[in-house]
Amino acid sequence: MIVKDDMVSAALDYLALAPHPVAVARKVLTDAENRRKRVFAELYRGQNGGTVKDREVAVEINQDYQVALLEESEAAKAYEDARAKIRSSEMVIEVWRSENANARAAERVR
């Protein structure tokens, strides 16, 4: 057997966590997106004169906006990592189920 019972147990435990890491990561990502939008709006409102593009560029090169972008990208990475762990857990369970089904089928053949 490729998948051991302790691997399945760990996968099931991960899927049963509450609050689930994916939910927490999604909240952090949403908060980071909202913060980035708020920082952009505050900085944009503070810009005087120039074209719309000039004001947008001034905001985009602002250090506070760059920090907000970095926080958002880190939150997105954490969210995708948590989602990948769900997919991995589900795959472990599926492989375990297939192995057990194959073992039962082999027993019936004997």
Side-chain angles (χ1 to χ4, degrees), residues 24-77:
V24 173
R26 181 65 207 163
K27 183 200 179 304
V28 171
L29 177 56
T30 299
D31 290 347
E33 290 169 342
N34 292 338
R35 181 178 184 284
R36 176 193 45 83
K37 291 174 185 177
R38 188 185 73 250
V39 168
F40 184 92
E42 289 171 353
L43 292 170
Y44 188 84
R45 184 178 53 184
Q47 297 298 314
N48 295 320
T51 65
V52 169
K53 187 65 176 172
D54 291 338
R55 289 181 287 199
E56 288 174 351
V57 168
V59 169
E60 289 174 1
I61 63 172
N62 182 286
Q63 187 61 32
D64 291 338
Y65 187 69
Q66 291 296 314
V67 168
L69 285 173
L70 181 60
E71 288 172 358
E72 184 179 7
S73 68
E74 289 297 324
K77 179 185 177 296

Side-chain angles (χ1 to χ4, degrees), residues 9-18 20-22 81-83 85-86 89:
S9 179
L12 290 169
D13 288 345
Y14 178 76
L15 292 174
L17 289 173
H20 199 275
V22 171
D81 286 347
R83 285 178 36 140
K85 192 162 182 185
I86 281 182
S89 295

